[in-house]
Amino acid sequence: MSEGYDLAEARDRFAEIVHDAEQGKPVQITRLGKPVVIVLSLREYQRLASENLSENLGFGAALAEFRQKYQIQALDINPDQVFNQVRVGSCGNNQTTE
């Protein structure tokens, strides 16, 4: 990461900070000595955002991606046979309360 700036200095050097970010150098901005913001290029932001999106597809999309990647259909697995001993035939809780 390139050098950081406090907020007041960042205001005065904004054009330079934007230029650094465009060149691929993230710039840290601090307030009262504590880091509060990172300025980065649009390209880097979009890359990070797309990585985050693909990691958070949701269960259905992640399952579809898994099935496609590992070609589950080609493995010829019968789920009923695999999970026969795992599944419980009854549904719900059979305990009674008094």
Side-chain angles (χ1 to χ4, degrees):
M1 186 178 315
S2 81
E3 63 186 287
Y5 300 94
D6 65 51
L7 190 56
E9 188 180 13
R11 256 187 300 242
D12 296 336
R13 302 180 87 168
F14 187 69
E16 181 182 337
I17 290 169
V18 169
H19 182 272
D20 284 349
E22 287 177 321
Q23 299 303 312
K25 303 174 198 164
V27 179
Q28 178 174 280
I29 310 294
T30 62
R31 180 186 296 139
L32 302 174
K34 296 181 181 176
V36 291
V37 149
I38 301 290
V39 179
L40 50 100
S41 70
L42 177 61
R43 180 182 7 210
E44 181 65 5
Y45 170 78
Q46 289 172 334
R47 183 186 71 78
L48 292 170
S50 70
E51 279 180 13
N52 229 5
L53 181 62
S54 66
E55 290 175 8
N56 297 310
L57 293 174
F59 179 76
L63 179 60
E65 184 178 290
F66 174 84
R67 286 178 172 165
Q68 182 178 9
K69 181 177 179 180
Y70 294 103
Q71 299 178 0
I72 297 298
Q73 308 301 348
L75 296 177
D76 193 31
I77 295 173
N78 181 347
D80 292 329
Q81 188 177 28
V82 172
F83 294 107
N84 189 32
Q85 300 298 318
V86 177
R87 295 183 179 158
V88 176
S90 65
C91 60
N93 188 344
N94 291 334
Q95 295 179 356
T96 59
T97 58
E98 295 182 37

